[in-house]
Amino acid sequence: MQFSEFLNVLRTRWKLIAACVVLAVPAATALTLLTTPVYEARARIYLSAEGRGGDAARSTGSVFVLTSDDLDTYVSILNTPAVLGPLRKELGLATGHPINVSAEVTGSTSILNITARSSDPKEAAAVANEVGPQLGAVAGEFSTLLKSSGQKVVSTPIQPASAPSRPVSPDPVRNIGLGLLAGLVLGIGLAFIRHAPDTKVRGEEDIRAHSDAPMLAALPLDRSSTTGLVSVEDDPHGRHAEAIRRLRTNLMFVDVTTGRHSFVVTSAMPGEGKTTTAANLALAMADSGRRTLLVDADLRNPSVARTLGMEGSVGLTTVLLGEAEVRDVIQPWGSHGMDVLPAGPVPPNPSELLGSAPMEELLRSLVGTYDFVLIDSPPVVPVIDAVVIERLTGGLLMVVATDRTRKKDTAAALRQLDTVGARLSGFARNFVASKAEGGYRYGYHAYEQEVERETRRARKTKTRSRT
């Protein structure tokens, strides 16, 4: 996985990650508050061997010294009943009262570090201070030499324990930090678990992971709309029509760099809304006063005529076969000045027909006649037709259906275009869910459209005067 895709998952699933953190941090806080505090007291003692009479350890002129093995033995018996029983009795604790105590030897010396833990700070200090004398009292029983020499082990306090003022457990800062970390790890893990089976394109990031081409428009999905497919004609003030006009403006900026005034409109797979987008875009172009022609070059599944509700029995294939003149099969549509060249009959060899010399000559003639030519082509992944047509135009507009198009299909289509060096002008994301209120209108659209109509009328009058 690339780093950009990792960031994309974090951006798209940030709400899930935040929810895990929000749940984990209070849980860690509650656990900290409910946990019984534990206090720790430390003491240091020195163990030595002395005679029973209190003299220095000597027996028949010999001196006994505690070895490291002796000290290890004392540490081992520290938590046995031999030590803990007398310790409880001395401190007045009930039989079986839990005592948490440990010891460690300091280097090669006879010094022991005693650590006692308890929920009561005073008890922890008392246990740490009393362990030494109780351990010395029974130590002789676990050393044959000491017992035979009549010596005993004496515990001398070096650093007595005092009652601690703060517990060592739980640690609020550490627990909340661990809760935050656990929430992040859990959230990121769940985000990737949900992302792994998510094969659909959800947003711009899913497309940008495979292409640097610009996002020219986001076409909204308005479930409340009762209008037809051609929103620019049926609902000119709606959100979809406004998005189409935005796409028109951005595509015109792209056209400035090519100067060929013609684009192919396609998609990765069928069902992504390319034909509807092409029809609305052509109508928006015509509405701005430009002579616009929409060509249905999807000779495998022609749908422009069906979408616009017009006759499509003759069209592009009829012209390419030499059975009619192009001016005789082009049909005007609507009141905006848009012309349409339907596909005509479905031929047995669509790719060969679209890549033929007559097609190249026809398209060159149409681009010279019209201000703008938009060509609806078949999807890229199933067939090569869109690539064949693209080389005759100024670029290619790819429509991607949000929440419908599969990522692998988009990637496959872009690989095919890149392989042949096709000029991808940009993307139009279709069926984008919108949070805006349905039926929202912008008052300045009426004025804008009136200006466009006046411009179109002026151009038509100028053309008639020339002829």
Side-chain angles (χ1 to χ4, degrees):
M1 173 181 288
Q2 296 180 351
F3 184 68
S4 59
E5 187 176 357
F6 175 79
L7 293 179
N8 176 35
V9 174
L10 297 186
R11 280 194 295 266
T12 55
R13 304 290 184 182
W14 69 270
K15 291 183 179 180
L16 175 62
I17 298 173
C20 290
V21 172
V22 168
L23 292 176
V25 171
T29 304
L31 183 63
T32 300
L33 295 176
L34 294 175
T35 301
T36 302
V38 175
Y39 296 87
E40 182 179 272
R42 293 176 178 270
R44 299 185 72 189
I45 61 174
Y46 175 76
L47 297 180
S48 60
E50 293 184 358
R52 295 291 182 180
D55 299 330
R58 55 176 63 90
S59 177
T60 63
S62 64
V63 178
F64 181 80
V65 179
L66 296 178
T67 66
S68 60
D69 290 337
D70 293 326
L71 296 175
D72 290 339
T73 300
Y74 303 153
V75 171
S76 300
I77 67 172
L78 182 60
N79 282 288
T80 62
V83 177
L84 297 183
L87 180 61
R88 291 190 183 96
K89 185 176 180 180
E90 181 69 23
L91 297 178
L93 301 176
T95 303
H97 181 82
I99 294 178
N100 184 352
V101 64
S102 61
E104 63 177 2
V105 181
T106 303
S108 59
T109 66
S110 297
I111 297 177
L112 291 183
N113 292 324
I114 308 296
T115 302
R117 290 192 170 194
S118 173
S119 58
D120 183 352
K122 293 182 178 180
E123 179 182 311
V127 169
N129 289 325
E130 189 61 30
V131 162
Q134 297 302 325
L135 185 61
V138 300
E141 301 296 326
F142 297 91
S143 175
T144 304
L145 292 177
L146 282 176
K147 190 173 182 180
S148 62
S149 64
Q151 296 175 337
K152 66 177 182 177
V153 176
V154 177
S155 171
T156 304
I158 298 176
Q159 183 179 341
S162 58
S165 59
R166 298 179 61 181
V168 294
S169 177
D171 186 340
V173 176
R174 182 191 62 187
N175 289 355
I176 294 175
L178 290 175
L180 175 62
L181 180 60
L184 285 174
V185 172
L186 177 62
I188 294 174
L190 291 177
F192 277 92
I193 290 175
R194 293 194 60 182
H195 174 76
D198 188 359
T199 61
K200 302 296 180 63
V201 174
R202 304 297 181 185
E204 290 186 11
E205 294 81 4
D206 295 327
I207 303 175
R208 293 190 187 279
H210 304 285
S211 175
D212 295 329
M215 303 292 162
L216 300 180
L219 308 178
L221 172 64
D222 190 357
R223 300 183 185 276
S224 63
S225 176
T226 58
T227 60
L229 296 175
V230 189
S231 63
V232 176
E233 176 76 12
D234 302 328
D235 188 18
H237 304 303
R239 287 178 291 148
H240 188 270
E242 170 60 19
I244 288 291
R245 283 188 283 268
R246 186 175 297 111
L247 174 60
R248 173 198 66 192
T249 301
N250 291 335
L251 198 62
M252 287 169 59
F253 278 111
V254 174
D255 182 56
V256 171
T257 63
T258 65
R260 303 184 69 174
H261 314 304
S262 57
F263 288 90
V264 177
V265 181
T266 188
S267 59
M269 295 293 289
E272 300 188 44
K274 64 176 182 59
T275 300
T276 304
T277 301
N280 280 284
L281 180 58
L283 194 59
M285 287 286 187
D287 196 37
S288 66
R290 295 168 178 81
R291 290 196 63 198
T292 305
L293 175 66
L294 174 62
V295 180
D296 189 354
D298 189 347
L299 303 185
R300 301 172 188 271
N301 182 29
S303 53
V304 170
R306 183 173 61 252
T307 300
L308 298 178
M310 60 193 306
E311 176 61 38
S313 59
V314 294
L316 179 60
T317 54
T318 311
V319 175
L320 294 178
L321 294 175
E323 298 177 357
E325 294 292 331
V326 65
R327 62 176 177 272
D328 296 328
V329 297
I330 288 179
Q331 304 176 45
W333 192 90
S335 58
H336 298 265
M338 179 182 74
D339 289 343
V340 179
L341 177 58
V346 176
N349 56 342
S351 297
E352 290 78 3
L353 204 58
L354 293 172
S356 64
M359 178 64 180
E360 183 175 358
E361 183 180 350
L362 173 62
L363 193 55
R364 186 184 302 111
S365 172
L366 294 175
V367 171
T369 303
Y370 287 89
D371 297 327
F372 232 95
V373 177
L374 293 176
I375 305 172
D376 181 33
S377 76
V380 175
V381 174
V383 293
I384 199 173
D385 297 10
V387 175
V388 172
I389 304 170
E390 185 276 332
R391 66 183 181 84
L392 306 176
T393 65
L396 183 144
L397 171 66
M398 178 167 285
V399 178
V400 180
T402 304
D403 299 333
R404 300 187 187 185
T405 304
R406 292 186 298 180
K407 296 176 184 178
K408 68 175 185 178
D409 291 333
T410 302
L414 294 174
R415 282 196 302 269
Q416 292 186 30
L417 296 176
D418 184 64
T419 300
V420 299
R423 292 159 296 189
L424 180 57
S425 302
F427 296 93
R429 292 192 298 124
N430 204 11
F431 308 128
V432 178
S434 176
K435 296 181 180 180
E437 293 293 331
Y440 193 68
R441 299 292 189 271
Y442 295 89
Y444 61 81
H445 285 334
Y447 174 76
E448 180 189 67
Q449 290 183 342
E450 184 62 30
V451 171
E452 291 179 350
R453 292 191 186 96
E454 291 297 331
T455 304
R456 186 174 64 254
R457 294 191 192 102
R459 288 187 179 182
K460 288 182 178 179
T461 302
K462 188 175 181 180
T463 301
R464 293 194 191 99
S465 64
R466 288 179 178 177
T467 56

